[in-house]
Amino acid sequence: KPVAVEPRHLIQVEMFCHKYSTGSLPMLPDATTSTPVAKVSQYACQRRTTTANSNKIFTDAFEVLAESYEFNEMEGQSLAFRRAASVLRSLPSKIQSLRDAESLPFLGKHSIAVIEEILQCGFSMEVQKILSNERFKTLKLFMSVFGVGLKTAEKWYRKGLLSFTRGLFPTGFLHYGDISRAVSKAEAQALGNIIDETVHAITSDALLTLTGGFRRGKDFGHDVDFIVTTPEMGKEEHLLTAVIESLKHQGLILYCDYRASTFDMSRLPNHKFDAMDHFAKCFLILRLDGSRVEGGLCGAEGDGRGWRAVRVDLVSPPMKQYAFTLLGWTGSKQFERDLRRFAQKERHMLLDNHALYDKTKRELLAATTEQDIFAHLGLQYIEPCQRNA
Ligand code: DCT
Ligand code: MG
């Protein structure tokens, strides 16, 4: 059913640009106050990265550049900036001079030049230009719609659609205003309570775990991610469908995209990495009542509704794959990428959300906890709150 989109949603673009404009005073390089940076690993899984980012001014700029390269299908350059941003996020303090930056992994000529410009004048001309680029702004806006990726956004852009038109796009615009607004920790907690009650009313020994950004200690997220499973072998998919039924019954489901499991134990290991795992899952939009949220809804619109729509993902692996799923869904994306790269390059192993495979021994390595997986990889354990790479 088509959903009307109001012009106020176009404010998104402005808000986005505002988010990335620095607004702060120029920082001048000062050789006397700079401290030498300790040796930093090229792998995010060997770095500890909390949510306290001392280099936000640089990493925001790098993320814009990474995104711009991605929009132009220059994956190599895009990844280079994502890696450089990730390295800077792990540093305990702000970069004060070029000397600090030059010794770091993945900081090449281009990223160093951007840092230099920001150190000198507080912003990067190149980044400012991207942020005011019509195509970049439009793709960004289109991709802020749930379910719209680069391909669709590009198609719409080529058709000459510069902004949303009333009634044009059906499903993605369902509750657009609500789901383009960040979810708070208290809201995530409230959803956790609701789903926990629902799950345990179905199976008393079910296991529900909050994962994604909130497990890493973030205060806000674009959605809330949960793993739900049961020790009863082969019953996890049934549990997920029962949970969906119950949520529907409670009148909490505004949208549900259910994907049945395509997981096949006998086909492990996966030699080709899939972007998504094969477990049963659902992408939901749930109705969250303000009365369930401690301190009320985040940024309540004052429209008197007393509820908001929230994006929620549920994934349901068999208990045997629980630890791998937990590690995979906890993120961050950059942390996951580097875990897999480390496993492959340094240990000759294949890691994904289903399993860890030792290519030398030609065997799957079992794990019941995340600690087991880090140990198999010969890595120091990194707490979820230190995985904000
Ligand atoms: N993930 C992944 N590869 C993908 C998609 C997701 O490895 N293609 C993992 C990493 C994070 C986790 O799943 C949840 O995904 P998101 O919700 O997109 O990320 P998030 O870190 O929870 O971010 P946000 O706080 O914005 O929800
Ligand atoms: Mg998330």
Side-chain angles (χ1 to χ4, degrees):
K1 177 171 81 192
V3 174
V5 179
E6 292 158 31
R8 72 187 162 100
H9 294 142
L10 293 173
I11 293 168
Q12 285 296 313
V13 174
E14 269 169 52
M15 279 165 55
F16 168 76
C17 294
H18 179 73
K19 183 176 159 197
Y20 286 97
S21 69
T22 62
S24 59
L25 288 168
M27 271 292 305
L28 291 169
D30 179 358
T32 55
T33 58
S34 70
T35 43
V37 182
K39 181 124 184 68
V40 176
S41 169
Q42 63 149 312
Y43 296 106
C45 54
Q46 290 186 308
R47 306 190 292 256
R48 297 179 193 272
T49 314
T50 65
T51 51
N53 177 6
S54 312
N55 287 286
K56 198 169 182 305
I57 188 165
F58 307 115
T59 59
D60 280 354
F62 285 7
E63 293 295 348
V64 171
L65 286 156
E67 213 153 25
S68 169
Y69 279 119
E70 198 182 318
F71 290 178
N72 291 305
E73 283 166 84
M74 295 161 86
E75 302 302 333
Q77 286 92 328
S78 173
L79 188 58
F81 273 107
R82 295 224 194 271
R83 284 175 168 164
S86 177
V87 165
L88 295 193
R89 269 194 289 272
S90 76
L91 301 180
S93 55
K94 186 177 170 181
I95 294 232
Q96 301 288 346
S97 76
L98 284 185
R99 241 205 7 231
D100 291 348
E102 274 161 356
S103 59
L104 295 167
F106 297 122
L107 274 96
K109 263 193 198 140
H110 194 171
S111 45
I112 293 285
V114 175
I115 292 180
E116 184 172 21
E117 209 186 342
I118 295 176
L119 282 171
Q120 278 169 2
C121 44
F123 66 93
S124 150
M125 232 8 246
E126 191 183 359
V127 171
Q128 294 303 315
K129 249 168 92 176
I130 294 169
L131 289 175
S132 56
N133 177 277
E134 199 59 44
R135 177 169 172 272
F136 181 86
K137 283 194 290 187
T138 311
L139 291 180
K140 233 7 239 188
L141 175 65
F142 288 162
M143 285 167 76
S144 71
V145 178
F146 172 41
V148 176
L150 181 56
K151 278 205 180 101
T152 309
E154 184 74 57
K155 201 172 78 194
W156 290 353
Y157 181 73
R158 289 228 190 91
K159 277 185 182 170
L161 297 168
L162 280 180
S163 60
F164 301 148
T165 317
R166 183 171 285 267
L168 248 185
F169 316 115
T171 48
F173 279 124
L174 208 53
H175 310 285
Y176 177 78
D178 270 4
I179 64 181
S180 61
R181 210 169 62 235
V183 184
S184 72
K185 204 183 262 184
E187 289 167 350
Q189 187 62 50
L191 282 159
N193 295 339
I194 293 166
I195 297 169
D196 193 66
E197 285 162 21
T198 306
V199 168
H200 286 104
I202 297 163
T203 311
S204 59
D205 60 356
L207 183 70
L208 179 77
T209 313
L210 175 69
T211 175
F214 287 109
R215 182 163 183 253
R216 301 197 308 273
K218 276 175 62 175
D219 289 326
F220 293 95
H222 92 283
D223 68 357
V224 195
D225 309 283
F226 295 99
I227 300 175
V228 53
T229 189
T230 159
E232 271 190 275
M233 273 263 286
K235 289 282 166 66
E236 64 285 340
E237 184 154 16
H238 172 74
L239 174 63
L240 183 60
T241 49
V243 169
I244 295 170
E245 268 317 302
S246 171
L247 291 171
K248 212 177 271 176
H249 209 76
Q250 298 170 60
L252 300 179
I253 295 197
L254 300 168
Y255 171 84
C256 174
D257 176 7
Y258 172 75
R259 312 277 173 102
S261 167
T262 54
F263 175 63
D264 180 354
M265 193 63 206
S266 68
R267 276 163 61 184
L268 289 179
N270 263 329
H271 285 275
K272 210 182 98 214
F273 179 77
D274 297 312
M276 251 310 164
D277 56 60
H278 293 257
F279 304 126
K281 59 177 69 66
C282 59
F283 307 105
L284 304 168
I285 300 178
L286 294 186
R287 177 195 159 105
L288 176 63
D289 265 312
S291 61
R292 300 279 322 221
V293 184
E294 207 185 309
L297 290 170
C298 159
E301 283 182 310
D303 57 4
R305 269 187 305 159
W307 64 275
R308 68 163 289 181
V310 190
R311 275 272 301 108
V312 173
D313 289 345
L314 303 179
V315 62
S316 209
M319 198 57 119
K320 266 192 164 171
Q321 277 72 43
Y322 173 78
F324 297 104
T325 312
L326 180 61
L327 182 59
W329 277 69
T330 298
S332 67
K333 284 185 188 98
Q334 200 55 41
F335 191 87
E336 300 302 322
R337 278 191 194 121
D338 278 6
L339 263 177
R340 295 190 296 264
R341 191 165 62 91
F342 178 88
Q344 172 91 264
K345 291 248 172 350
E346 306 294 329
R347 301 290 186 251
H348 208 52
M349 291 181 185
L350 294 174
L351 173 71
D352 62 18
N353 289 3
H354 314 99
L356 178 62
Y357 178 72
D358 187 324
K359 293 205 277 184
T360 313
K361 292 185 188 160
R362 296 191 181 180
E363 63 180 27
L364 291 165
L365 306 175
T368 51
T369 63
E370 289 183 320
Q371 280 86 345
D372 293 344
I373 304 170
F374 281 89
H376 282 315
L377 290 168
L379 281 172
Q380 274 184 29
Y381 180 67
I382 307 282
E383 298 283 349
C385 65
Q386 298 171 329
R387 298 182 204 163
N388 290 286

